[in-house]
Amino acid sequence: MKTPYYDYLSYALTYFYYRSLDGEKMEDIKVFHNEKVEEIRKTTVAGEVYQAIKRINRDNSQSAEMIVCTGYQEAMEIV
């Protein structure tokens, strides 16, 4: 299973998009230090991992064991 990590700009642009929808003011972002951008990054990675796992055993018709090797524990806790 391979889960691509997007560049940080993708997460920041998503954050700016949703801020603009809410009519909120734009602000500077410190890489890996903005709490809301980190939440977007964590949930995006968790979603990608979940989709990869579901592709292995789509209909749960057979027993399957998944072994995921990652250092990103926060994303795995969501999955």
Side-chain angles (χ1 to χ4, degrees), residues 2-14:
K2 179 177 183 320
T3 302
Y5 286 88
Y6 305 107
D7 61 344
Y8 202 81
L9 179 61
S10 299
Y11 305 117
L13 289 174
T14 302

Side-chain angles (χ1 to χ4, degrees), residues 15-49:
Y15 171 68
F16 286 140
Y17 171 74
Y18 285 111
R19 280 190 69 89
S20 70
L21 289 180
D22 292 339
E24 294 182 25
K25 189 176 110 177
M26 296 301 149
E27 60 190 29
D28 290 339
I29 292 178
K30 291 178 94 176
V31 178
F32 301 112
H33 293 290
N34 185 292
E35 187 176 310
K36 299 216 184 232
V37 175
E38 286 301 303
E39 189 66 28
I40 292 169
R41 187 169 77 93
K42 180 173 44 174
T43 56
T44 300
V45 172
E48 294 290 330
V49 170

